[in-house]
């Protein structure tokens, strides 16, 4: 992909050109004597030039259905300081020996390779990523990668208030916080630990530091979330994922809450709920309640899957590449790295895995019978 650095140089040049004209005035605000139409036509010509000279997206990250995978999720650890019922079995899970987990340098090596091939968004997951001692340094190192536009984290929020100022300075640009209820006692029941007030402190710290949106993600199982509206009024944006009714990756259909049922529940309380346009490759169906600062989104991975626009890949804490969250196919990048594989050899291995990605996942009934890692070991 030798042409890609050229395309990035062109992008920076054109983006800079689009921001101002010779007098320093924005192109969208015409310079003295220049019509708005002329400025618009000039911007269109620049964009056309960019399209014609941009490098093609990496063939290694494009599957047989034409899906381009520009979003990489990296699990930093299998450990967690909570024991959420839908994520980890009550008895816990056998953890991978430390020697078999990716080192910091291996994480950065893989991240660098994926970004070079076109990944422009990386999300750090776990386990709980914020319990990893060098998480701030990892974010700082990722921030230096040319072409990486977004560095996000999915966290339970317990350590967020303490670490967020350092993470923001290092380059963290997006935050997802897991929170299933606003009732402290219910919180302790769901996660089997204390910590509700620390999570709330983390949410407020994120808003205070200017993150927008701050995404709070509950799992609406039957014995979990009861008041989705309270969360939507509290924070900037609330993705309500369509059901994840599992217990350590064992599906419990009695706990399942469908997208339609959740939508009907919200509409009963706010009949004026408005559907918002969906962004390309978005997993969320977004809605706006007039007068509310934030919005509500439903992630319908089971009841209405979005496999056709999936652009996500995952690397587990022990270095396995998963091309589908709900698939059980994996390939060890760690083993090839440690065996001295070259960059081109790694790309061929990655390309082969991406090329085997199926059109869609098997569906909830088949998935319930499929052997797969617990979510805590996937970084889902």
């Amino acid at each position: 992909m030798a042409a890609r650095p050229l395309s990035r140089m062109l992008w920076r040049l054109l983006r800079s050109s689009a921001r101002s004209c010779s007098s320093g005035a924005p192109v969208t605000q015409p310079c003295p004597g220049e019509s708005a139409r002329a400025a618009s036509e000039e911007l269109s010509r620049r964009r056309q030039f960019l399209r014609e000279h941009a490098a093609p997206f990496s063939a290694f990250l494009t599957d047989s259905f034409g899906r381009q995978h520009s979003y990489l999720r990296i699990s930093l650890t299998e450990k967690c300081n909570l024991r959420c019922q839908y994520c980890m079995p009550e008895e816990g899970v056998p953890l991978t020996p430390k020697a078999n987990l990716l080192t910091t340098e291996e994480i950065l090596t893989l991240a660098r390779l994926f970004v070079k091939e076109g990944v422009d968004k990386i999300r750090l997951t776990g386990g709980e990523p914020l319990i990893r001692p060098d998480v701030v340094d990892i974010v700082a190192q990722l921030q230096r990668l040319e072409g990486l536009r977004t560095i996000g984290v999915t966290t339970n929020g317990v350590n967020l208030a303490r670490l967020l100022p350092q993470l923001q300075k290092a380059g963290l640009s997006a935050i997802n916080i897991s929170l299933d209820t606003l009732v402290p006692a219910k919180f302790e029941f769901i996660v089997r630990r204390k910590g509700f007030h620390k999570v709330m402190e983390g949410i407020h710290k994120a808003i205070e530091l200017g993150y927008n949106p701050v995404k709070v993600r509950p799992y609406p199982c039957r014995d979990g979330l009861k008041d989705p509206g309270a969360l939507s009024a509290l924070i900037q944006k609330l993705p309500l994922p369509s059901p994840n009714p599992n217990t350590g990756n064992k599906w419990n259909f009695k706990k399942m809450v469908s997208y339609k049922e959740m939508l009907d529940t919200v509409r009963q309380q706010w009949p004026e709920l408005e559907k918002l346009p969906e962004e390309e490759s978005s997993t969320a169906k977004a809605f706006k309640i007039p007068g509310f600062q934030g919005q509500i989104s439903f992630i319908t991975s089971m009841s209405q899957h979005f496999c056709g626009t999936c652009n996500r890949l995952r690397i587990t804490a022990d270095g396995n590449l998963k091309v589908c969250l709900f698939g059980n196919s994996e390939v060890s990048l760690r083993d090839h790295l440690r065996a001295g594989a070259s960059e081109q050899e790694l790309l061929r291995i990655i390309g082969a895995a991406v090329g085997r990605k199926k059109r869609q996942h098997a569906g909830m009934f088949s998935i319930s019978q499929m052997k797969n890692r617990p979510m805590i070991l996937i970084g889902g």
Side-chain angles (χ1 to χ4, degrees), residues 144-166:
R144 298 176 184 175
L145 299 180
E146 183 181 353
L148 186 60
R149 299 181 185 179
T150 303
I151 304 172
V153 67
T154 294
T155 173
N156 60 34
V158 173
N159 292 338
L160 187 60
R162 176 173 59 86
L163 291 175
L164 192 52
Q166 302 171 61

Side-chain angles (χ1 to χ4, degrees), residues 212 232-237 288-289 291-295:
N212 184 8
S232 67
L234 175 69
I235 48 86
Q236 295 284 342
K237 184 178 181 182
K288 181 80 174 177
I289 301 172
F292 276 59
Q293 188 174 13
Q295 63 190 55

Side-chain angles (χ1 to χ4, degrees), residues 142-190:
L142 291 175
Q143 199 272 336
R144 298 176 184 175
L145 299 180
E146 183 181 353
L148 186 60
R149 299 181 185 179
T150 303
I151 304 172
V153 67
T154 294
T155 173
N156 60 34
V158 173
N159 292 338
L160 187 60
R162 176 173 59 86
L163 291 175
L164 192 52
Q166 302 171 61
L167 288 166
Q168 186 180 54
K169 185 177 180 180
L172 187 72
S173 54
I175 304 172
N176 280 24
I177 304 167
S178 299
L179 178 64
D180 300 297
T181 178
L182 293 178
V183 180
K186 176 70 75 173
F187 175 91
E188 291 183 24
F189 169 75
I190 295 172

Side-chain angles (χ1 to χ4, degrees), residues 4-43:
R4 185 162 296 279
L6 174 61
S7 71
R8 287 177 179 153
M9 291 170 63
L10 288 168
W11 172 250
R12 287 199 301 272
L13 174 64
L14 295 178
R15 184 172 58 182
S16 175
S17 299
R19 279 198 295 264
S20 63
C21 62
S22 58
S23 69
V27 169
T28 53
Q29 300 291 325
C31 304
E34 182 184 23
S35 70
R37 181 174 181 177
S40 177
E41 290 175 351
E42 174 63 18
L43 184 56

Side-chain angles (χ1 to χ4, degrees), residues 264-275:
D264 289 345
T265 299
V266 176
R267 276 200 168 127
Q268 286 174 11
Q269 193 166 356
W270 292 287
E272 66 274 28
L273 193 69
E274 299 173 359
K275 181 78 167 64

Side-chain angles (χ1 to χ4, degrees), residues 99-373:
N100 294 338
L101 298 174
L102 288 178
T103 65
T104 300
E105 184 55 40
E106 288 169 338
I107 290 171
L108 296 173
T109 296
L110 290 174
R112 196 175 300 116
L113 180 60
F114 276 89
V115 171
K116 185 177 179 181
E117 291 300 306
V119 163
D120 61 12
K121 179 178 180 179
I122 289 179
R123 178 170 296 280
L124 303 176
T125 67
E128 169 49 42
L130 299 192
I131 67 174
R132 181 163 173 138
D134 61 350
V135 62
V136 174
D137 182 58
I138 289 175
V139 171
Q141 295 293 327
L142 291 175
Q143 199 272 336
R144 298 176 184 175
L145 299 180
E146 183 181 353
L148 186 60
R149 299 181 185 179
T150 303
I151 304 172
V153 67
T154 294
T155 173
N156 60 34
V158 173
N159 292 338
L160 187 60
R162 176 173 59 86
L163 291 175
L164 192 52
Q166 302 171 61
L167 288 166
Q168 186 180 54
K169 185 177 180 180
L172 187 72
S173 54
I175 304 172
N176 280 24
I177 304 167
S178 299
L179 178 64
D180 300 297
T181 178
L182 293 178
V183 180
K186 176 70 75 173
F187 175 91
E188 291 183 24
F189 169 75
I190 295 172
V191 308
R192 305 184 181 114
R193 295 290 187 275
K194 296 183 183 297
F196 173 79
H197 297 292
K198 288 186 177 181
V199 178
M200 294 303 299
E201 184 184 356
I203 292 173
H204 288 294
K205 176 61 72 173
I207 295 172
E208 174 191 324
L209 292 178
Y211 284 92
N212 184 8
V214 177
K215 296 185 179 181
V216 174
R217 179 173 176 165
Y219 282 81
C221 299
R222 298 267 172 220
D223 52 3
L225 182 69
K226 296 297 183 184
D227 188 10
L231 281 169
S232 67
L234 175 69
I235 48 86
Q236 295 284 342
K237 184 178 181 182
L238 173 59
L240 291 176
S242 185
N244 194 354
N246 61 14
T247 304
N249 245 29
K250 297 177 182 177
W251 288 77
N252 185 339
F253 297 105
K254 293 181 179 178
K255 294 184 179 182
M256 177 161 175
V257 185
S258 72
Y259 164 52
K260 182 180 183 303
E261 184 177 349
M262 282 297 298
L263 184 58
D264 289 345
T265 299
V266 176
R267 276 200 168 127
Q268 286 174 11
Q269 193 166 356
W270 292 287
E272 66 274 28
L273 193 69
E274 299 173 359
K275 181 78 167 64
L276 298 176
E278 294 181 22
E279 299 178 3
E280 186 178 0
S281 297
S282 175
T283 62
K285 294 174 173 62
F287 293 80
K288 181 80 174 177
I289 301 172
F292 276 59
Q293 188 174 13
Q295 63 190 55
I296 300 175
S297 300
F298 299 86
I299 301 178
T300 61
S301 55
M302 287 293 109
S303 50
Q304 292 186 21
H305 71 75
F306 35 80
C307 301
T309 58
C310 180
N311 67 339
R312 292 153 176 76
L313 299 172
R314 289 172 168 80
I315 297 178
T316 62
D318 58 352
N320 280 11
L321 176 66
K322 284 183 72 76
V323 297
C324 176
L325 172 64
F326 297 109
N328 55 10
S329 176
E330 302 181 1
V331 59
S332 177
L333 301 181
R334 177 204 65 203
D335 290 351
H336 290 286
L337 264 178
R338 295 182 182 181
S342 68
E343 184 174 293
Q344 283 303 309
E345 288 171 334
L346 286 172
L347 286 176
R348 283 195 292 271
I349 293 162
I350 292 167
V354 172
R356 292 192 295 268
K357 185 169 181 173
K358 298 178 180 179
R359 182 184 294 274
Q360 65 186 61
H361 63 61
M364 68 181 82
F365 295 103
S366 296
I367 290 172
S368 68
Q369 306 299 319
M370 185 187 299
K371 185 177 180 180
N372 200 358
R373 295 179 182 228

